Amino acid sequence: MLRKNSPRFASRLLVLSLAVLGVGACVEGPTTPEGNTHLTTDGTSCPVAADIGLPALSDEEIAQVVITVNMGEIQQGELARQQATSPEVRRFAEQMVQEHTAANQELQTRLRALGITPRETPLSQQLLAESNQLFTLLRSSADAGTFDLAYMDVQVFLHAKTLVLMDGVLQPQLRNAELRDFALMDRGTVQHHLDTAISLQKNLSPSP
């Protein structure tokens, strides 16, 4: 169960998740004839996904990963709108529902125009299973009266993980230029969500 006296829950989850994925944060680099080059935060080239054992994904498969992530955020946000006691947390949850719903709608509109049909992979299925587990944990924390901090812990974890997935797995493999542009725009939104979630998490965490 998520506990109010465990403010580092999200960071522990993130470290474990990134260890499993085997990736670090990358940033957008110059475009090459082969596509976008990505760099790690220390300026070295990000390895190709296949070189470090990560799944090689098509645009159809990447689209399903993004849709799955958005759907998890919407589901958790709807729960938080009902269960959160902090007005700030409720407002954040409302923002998550609205903005992730809008992101999914825009992505699906673009996919239809491009003739791209999302396709599931083990990665998207793994993310769905993880999202369902976190949703169950959040419902348990609501019963225990510790929902607000638990929700923000999960939000910090999920948005940080999403940035790592976008930088190290998804964006480097996108082939369609329009989808690459959409992913770069969406990345800024995810970063803003993470920054806001971290601030709310700090405000809710008990003093040491």
Side-chain angles (χ1 to χ4, degrees):
M1 180 181 297
L2 305 181
R3 298 192 304 274
K4 191 170 182 178
N5 61 357
S6 299
R8 293 177 183 168
F9 167 80
S11 61
R12 291 197 301 270
L13 278 178
L14 180 60
V15 168
L16 176 61
S17 176
L18 301 192
V20 172
L21 286 171
V23 298
C26 299
V27 295
E28 183 70 10
T31 300
T32 69
E34 293 77 20
N36 283 358
T37 297
H38 283 64
L39 306 175
T40 62
T41 50
D42 63 4
T44 59
S45 296
C46 289
V48 176
D51 292 343
I52 53 176
L54 294 173
L57 302 175
S58 67
D59 287 358
E60 291 82 358
E61 292 166 338
I62 291 172
Q64 184 59 53
V65 168
V66 175
I67 290 170
T68 300
V69 169
N70 282 329
M71 291 302 297
E73 288 288 347
I74 294 165
Q75 181 188 44
Q76 293 158 19
E78 288 174 342
L79 178 65
R81 289 195 299 188
Q82 301 170 9
Q83 299 295 338
T85 58
S86 163
E88 291 81 6
V89 173
R90 286 199 301 271
R91 282 195 293 270
F92 179 82
E94 179 68 34
Q95 180 185 3
M96 293 305 97
V97 172
Q98 292 178 352
E99 295 189 4
H100 283 280
T101 297
N104 252 2
Q105 291 173 342
E106 181 174 355
L107 174 58
Q108 290 169 339
T109 297
R110 290 179 184 234
L111 292 174
R112 285 193 295 270
L114 294 168
I116 295 175
T117 301
R119 183 166 63 243
E120 287 191 355
T121 62
L123 176 58
S124 64
Q125 293 169 348
Q126 173 190 336
L127 292 172
L128 177 60
E130 177 184 79
S131 177
N132 289 337
Q133 290 173 344
L134 290 173
F135 183 79
T136 299
L137 288 171
L138 286 174
R139 290 185 64 179
S140 298
S141 71
D143 294 337
T146 59
F147 182 88
D148 287 19
L149 181 56
Y151 175 65
M152 296 318 307
D153 280 346
V154 167
Q155 288 301 294
V156 170
F157 161 63
L158 288 177
H159 282 91
K161 180 177 179 178
T162 297
L163 287 178
V164 171
L165 282 172
M166 293 176 79
D167 290 346
V169 182
L170 306 183
Q171 288 185 13
Q173 300 189 71
L174 277 170
R175 295 163 180 82
N176 183 275
E178 183 173 341
L179 290 182
R180 284 201 302 268
D181 291 343
F182 175 77
L184 286 173
M185 178 180 64
D186 197 41
R187 189 195 189 284
T189 301
V190 176
Q191 181 67 62
H192 176 68
H193 290 171
L194 175 60
D195 294 341
T196 305
I198 289 172
S199 178
L200 287 172
Q201 181 195 46
K202 288 180 179 178
N203 291 338
L204 291 168
S205 298
S207 300

